[in-house]
Amino acid sequence: MSTPRPARQKVALGEKLRGERKVRTIIPMVDESSAPAPLRKPDWIRVRVPSSGRIQQVKDMLRKQKLHTVCEEAACPNLPECFGSGTATFMIMGDICTRRCAFCDVGFGRPNALDPDEPRALAESVRDMGLKYVVVTSVDRDDLRDGGAAHFADCINEVRAMTPATRIEILTPDFRGCLEPALDILTQSPPDVFNHNIETVPHLYKRVRPGARYDHSLKLLQDFGQRNPGVPTKSGIMVGLGETFDQVVETLQDLRRHDVDMLTIGQYLQPSPHHAPVERFVHPDEFREYARIADELGFTSVASGPMVRSSYHADLQHQGIDVGVALTKAQ
C-alpha cells in the first residue's frame, strides 16, 4: 500500500519552503531504511572548481545589490565554473516560487511584492561586471496578473539603457493563465533570445512538473516566435528522470514542430534526497546521439551533454562556439 501524501501546509507570506517541506505534497514519503541507495555518479559527471577568489567577489556584488541567481537558488553544479569566470544567470522577482516542481531546488511559498528597484540594480550589476551577454530568469509568479512579464520588460529596458551593447536572453516561466497579456508586453520589449524550458517529456509532467502543462509550454514558445520572427526561441530538457530514448526524440520533434530554434539537453541531478530520484546517468554517447538527431531536425544550435544547463555558456552557444559538449550550429 502506498503512503498517503500529507495535507498541504499553510505558508506565511515571505516564507520559503525547501527540500522535504517543499516536495512532501507531490512526492510520497518513503521509509529511508528501505529506500534504494542513490545511484553512484559516473566519471563523466564532474564539477570544475576554480582556484581564484572571483566566486566570493560575485557573491558579494549580488548581495550588495540584493539580487538572486538561479545558480545559487537551484544548486546548479556549474556555479563554481560560472562564478569563477565572473558570469551569472540572474533570477528576478525574488527567490520564492509559486510552483512545487519535483526536480527543482528553488524555494516554494507565498512571494513578497516585487522590488521596483530590481531592474535598475540588475542593470548596474551587468554594467559593473562588464557583461556582453546576460541571461535573466525568474521564479514562477502565479500571484501576478501578468506572471511578471512587465517586470521582465522593465529589466530588459534598464539593461538596454545602461549597456546598449549587451545581448539579453530571458528564460521565462510559462505565464499560465495570462499568456496573451504576457506576450503583448514582451513583444513591446523583446529580448535577443527567448528561452522557456520544456524540462521533460510529457509522460513525466504529472510527477515532475505538476503545476505546468506540456502543450501550453509549446504554445508559449511558438506564439512568441510568431509575434517576434527576428528573435530566436530556445528550450531545454533534462534526461535521467525515467524517460525513454524515443520519448526524448518525440519531444525534440514537438519542439521543432513549434518552430523552436535552439536546444539544450543535460543530465538531471537530484538537488536533495527528497526530490525526484535520478533514474539513470545518461552516457555521453547518448547525448551525442541526441545532438545528431536535433541537428537533423533543424535546430539552429544544440548543446547536449551531462553538465549542460539551459543558461550554461549561453553566450557561446548563441555564437555556435564549442563549449566542450556535443554542440552544433547550422551553417
PDB file of all heavy atoms in Angstrom, residues 34-49:
ATOM      1  N   SER A  34      14.351   1.491   3.857  1.00  0.00           N
ATOM      2  CA  SER A  34      14.082   0.531   2.783  1.00  0.00           C
ATOM      3  C   SER A  34      14.226   1.135   1.400  1.00  0.00           C
ATOM      4  O   SER A  34      14.052   0.444   0.396  1.00  0.00           O
ATOM      5  CB  SER A  34      12.667  -0.036   2.937  1.00  0.00           C
ATOM      6  OG  SER A  34      11.708   1.015   2.848  1.00  0.00           O
ATOM      7  N   ALA A  35      14.523   2.430   1.320  1.00  0.00           N
ATOM      8  CA  ALA A  35      14.663   3.098   0.024  1.00  0.00           C
ATOM      9  C   ALA A  35      15.947   2.642  -0.662  1.00  0.00           C
ATOM     10  O   ALA A  35      16.960   2.388  -0.001  1.00  0.00           O
ATOM     11  CB  ALA A  35      14.680   4.611   0.220  1.00  0.00           C
ATOM     12  N   PRO A  36      15.929   2.523  -2.000  1.00  0.00           N
ATOM     13  CA  PRO A  36      17.151   2.138  -2.716  1.00  0.00           C
ATOM     14  C   PRO A  36      18.232   3.203  -2.577  1.00  0.00           C
ATOM     15  O   PRO A  36      17.941   4.395  -2.456  1.00  0.00           O
ATOM     16  CB  PRO A  36      16.672   2.002  -4.165  1.00  0.00           C
ATOM     17  CG  PRO A  36      15.435   2.850  -4.249  1.00  0.00           C
ATOM     18  CD  PRO A  36      14.789   2.749  -2.916  1.00  0.00           C
ATOM     19  N   ALA A  37      19.468   2.756  -2.567  1.00  0.00           N
ATOM     20  CA  ALA A  37      20.586   3.690  -2.440  1.00  0.00           C
ATOM     21  C   ALA A  37      20.669   4.560  -3.688  1.00  0.00           C
ATOM     22  O   ALA A  37      20.387   4.094  -4.796  1.00  0.00           O
ATOM     23  CB  ALA A  37      21.887   2.913  -2.256  1.00  0.00           C
ATOM     24  N   PRO A  38      21.044   5.841  -3.539  1.00  0.00           N
ATOM     25  CA  PRO A  38      21.196   6.705  -4.712  1.00  0.00           C
ATOM     26  C   PRO A  38      22.246   6.143  -5.666  1.00  0.00           C
ATOM     27  O   PRO A  38      23.213   5.502  -5.245  1.00  0.00           O
ATOM     28  CB  PRO A  38      21.663   8.040  -4.102  1.00  0.00           C
ATOM     29  CG  PRO A  38      21.260   7.981  -2.662  1.00  0.00           C
ATOM     30  CD  PRO A  38      21.335   6.537  -2.278  1.00  0.00           C
ATOM     31  N   LEU A  39      22.036   6.402  -6.949  1.00  0.00           N
ATOM     32  CA  LEU A  39      22.996   5.931  -7.940  1.00  0.00           C
ATOM     33  C   LEU A  39      24.336   6.639  -7.759  1.00  0.00           C
ATOM     34  O   LEU A  39      24.385   7.827  -7.441  1.00  0.00           O
ATOM     35  CB  LEU A  39      22.462   6.198  -9.350  1.00  0.00           C
ATOM     36  CG  LEU A  39      21.171   5.469  -9.760  1.00  0.00           C
ATOM     37  CD1 LEU A  39      20.777   5.892 -11.174  1.00  0.00           C
ATOM     38  CD2 LEU A  39      21.357   3.962  -9.677  1.00  0.00           C
ATOM     39  N   ARG A  40      25.415   5.910  -7.947  1.00  0.00           N
ATOM     40  CA  ARG A  40      26.748   6.490  -7.863  1.00  0.00           C
ATOM     41  C   ARG A  40      27.031   7.309  -9.123  1.00  0.00           C
ATOM     42  O   ARG A  40      26.771   6.861 -10.238  1.00  0.00           O
ATOM     43  CB  ARG A  40      27.789   5.380  -7.725  1.00  0.00           C
ATOM     44  CG  ARG A  40      29.216   5.871  -7.582  1.00  0.00           C
ATOM     45  CD  ARG A  40      30.179   4.689  -7.533  1.00  0.00           C
ATOM     46  NE  ARG A  40      31.557   5.130  -7.432  1.00  0.00           N
ATOM     47  CZ  ARG A  40      32.181   5.358  -6.285  1.00  0.00           C
ATOM     48  NH1 ARG A  40      31.542   5.168  -5.151  1.00  0.00           N
ATOM     49  NH2 ARG A  40      33.433   5.762  -6.255  1.00  0.00           N
ATOM     50  N   LYS A  41      27.533   8.517  -8.933  1.00  0.00           N
ATOM     51  CA  LYS A  41      27.819   9.371 -10.082  1.00  0.00           C
ATOM     52  C   LYS A  41      28.975   8.794 -10.899  1.00  0.00           C
ATOM     53  O   LYS A  41      30.007   8.418 -10.343  1.00  0.00           O
ATOM     54  CB  LYS A  41      28.177  10.793  -9.626  1.00  0.00           C
ATOM     55  CG  LYS A  41      26.995  11.566  -9.066  1.00  0.00           C
ATOM     56  CD  LYS A  41      27.397  12.964  -8.670  1.00  0.00           C
ATOM     57  CE  LYS A  41      26.214  13.725  -8.077  1.00  0.00           C
ATOM     58  NZ  LYS A  41      26.601  15.083  -7.617  1.00  0.00           N
ATOM     59  N   PRO A  42      28.812   8.735 -12.204  1.00  0.00           N
ATOM     60  CA  PRO A  42      29.887   8.214 -13.058  1.00  0.00           C
ATOM     61  C   PRO A  42      31.010   9.235 -13.224  1.00  0.00           C
ATOM     62  O   PRO A  42      30.892  10.404 -12.829  1.00  0.00           O
ATOM     63  CB  PRO A  42      29.174   7.966 -14.385  1.00  0.00           C
ATOM     64  CG  PRO A  42      28.044   8.950 -14.386  1.00  0.00           C
ATOM     65  CD  PRO A  42      27.598   9.079 -12.957  1.00  0.00           C
ATOM     66  N   ASP A  43      32.078   8.795 -13.848  1.00  0.00           N
ATOM     67  CA  ASP A  43      33.262   9.640 -14.007  1.00  0.00           C
ATOM     68  C   ASP A  43      32.984  10.879 -14.841  1.00  0.00           C
ATOM     69  O   ASP A  43      33.663  11.902 -14.685  1.00  0.00           O
ATOM     70  CB  ASP A  43      34.403   8.836 -14.652  1.00  0.00           C
ATOM     71  CG  ASP A  43      34.941   7.755 -13.727  1.00  0.00           C
ATOM     72  OD1 ASP A  43      34.710   7.866 -12.507  1.00  0.00           O
ATOM     73  OD2 ASP A  43      35.583   6.805 -14.222  1.00  0.00           O
ATOM     74  N   TRP A  44      31.999  10.800 -15.754  1.00  0.00           N
ATOM     75  CA  TRP A  44      31.788  11.952 -16.637  1.00  0.00           C
ATOM     76  C   TRP A  44      30.961  13.067 -15.984  1.00  0.00           C
ATOM     77  O   TRP A  44      30.754  14.105 -16.582  1.00  0.00           O
ATOM     78  CB  TRP A  44      31.129  11.503 -17.948  1.00  0.00           C
ATOM     79  CG  TRP A  44      29.797  10.845 -17.811  1.00  0.00           C
ATOM     80  CD1 TRP A  44      28.590  11.447 -17.641  1.00  0.00           C
ATOM     81  CD2 TRP A  44      29.529   9.436 -17.855  1.00  0.00           C
ATOM     82  NE1 TRP A  44      27.586  10.515 -17.554  1.00  0.00           N
ATOM     83  CE2 TRP A  44      28.129   9.261 -17.709  1.00  0.00           C
ATOM     84  CE3 TRP A  44      30.321   8.302 -18.016  1.00  0.00           C
ATOM     85  CZ2 TRP A  44      27.517   8.014 -17.701  1.00  0.00           C
ATOM     86  CZ3 TRP A  44      29.710   7.059 -18.015  1.00  0.00           C
ATOM     87  CH2 TRP A  44      28.330   6.919 -17.863  1.00  0.00           C
ATOM     88  N   ILE A  45      30.480  12.857 -14.758  1.00  0.00           N
ATOM     89  CA  ILE A  45      29.803  13.925 -14.019  1.00  0.00           C
ATOM     90  C   ILE A  45      30.845  14.586 -13.132  1.00  0.00           C
ATOM     91  O   ILE A  45      31.188  14.091 -12.060  1.00  0.00           O
ATOM     92  CB  ILE A  45      28.641  13.392 -13.162  1.00  0.00           C
ATOM     93  CG1 ILE A  45      27.603  12.688 -14.034  1.00  0.00           C
ATOM     94  CG2 ILE A  45      27.995  14.510 -12.361  1.00  0.00           C
ATOM     95  CD1 ILE A  45      26.838  13.608 -14.964  1.00  0.00           C
ATOM     96  N   ARG A  46      31.364  15.694 -13.585  1.00  0.00           N
ATOM     97  CA  ARG A  46      32.426  16.380 -12.851  1.00  0.00           C
ATOM     98  C   ARG A  46      32.135  17.872 -12.779  1.00  0.00           C
ATOM     99  O   ARG A  46      31.633  18.459 -13.730  1.00  0.00           O
ATOM    100  CB  ARG A  46      33.790  16.175 -13.516  1.00  0.00           C
ATOM    101  CG  ARG A  46      34.246  14.728 -13.517  1.00  0.00           C
ATOM    102  CD  ARG A  46      35.685  14.599 -14.000  1.00  0.00           C
ATOM    103  NE  ARG A  46      36.116  13.205 -14.027  1.00  0.00           N
ATOM    104  CZ  ARG A  46      36.554  12.535 -12.974  1.00  0.00           C
ATOM    105  NH1 ARG A  46      36.613  13.153 -11.807  1.00  0.00           N
ATOM    106  NH2 ARG A  46      36.926  11.279 -13.072  1.00  0.00           N
ATOM    107  N   VAL A  47      32.462  18.465 -11.641  1.00  0.00           N
ATOM    108  CA  VAL A  47      32.321  19.900 -11.447  1.00  0.00           C
ATOM    109  C   VAL A  47      33.708  20.513 -11.335  1.00  0.00           C
ATOM    110  O   VAL A  47      34.516  20.081 -10.508  1.00  0.00           O
ATOM    111  CB  VAL A  47      31.501  20.231 -10.170  1.00  0.00           C
ATOM    112  CG1 VAL A  47      31.457  21.731  -9.942  1.00  0.00           C
ATOM    113  CG2 VAL A  47      30.100  19.659 -10.284  1.00  0.00           C
ATOM    114  N   ARG A  48      33.976  21.491 -12.181  1.00  0.00           N
ATOM    115  CA  ARG A  48      35.276  22.160 -12.150  1.00  0.00           C
ATOM    116  C   ARG A  48      35.254  23.296 -11.134  1.00  0.00           C
ATOM    117  O   ARG A  48      34.379  24.150 -11.171  1.00  0.00           O
ATOM    118  CB  ARG A  48      35.603  22.722 -13.542  1.00  0.00           C
ATOM    119  CG  ARG A  48      35.852  21.664 -14.587  1.00  0.00           C
ATOM    120  CD  ARG A  48      36.072  22.311 -15.932  1.00  0.00           C
ATOM    121  NE  ARG A  48      35.039  21.895 -16.865  1.00  0.00           N
ATOM    122  CZ  ARG A  48      34.901  22.396 -18.083  1.00  0.00           C
ATOM    123  NH1 ARG A  48      35.713  23.341 -18.488  1.00  0.00           N
ATOM    124  NH2 ARG A  48      33.958  21.965 -18.878  1.00  0.00           N
ATOM    125  N   VAL A  49      36.202  23.293 -10.219  1.00  0.00           N
ATOM    126  CA  VAL A  49      36.259  24.306  -9.173  1.00  0.00           C
ATOM    127  C   VAL A  49      37.473  25.197  -9.389  1.00  0.00           C
ATOM    128  O   VAL A  49      38.613  24.757  -9.219  1.00  0.00           O
ATOM    129  CB  VAL A  49      36.332  23.663  -7.767  1.00  0.00           C
ATOM    130  CG1 VAL A  49      36.362  24.749  -6.700  1.00  0.00           C
ATOM    131  CG2 VAL A  49      35.150  22.727  -7.542  1.00  0.00           C
TER     132      VAL A  49
END
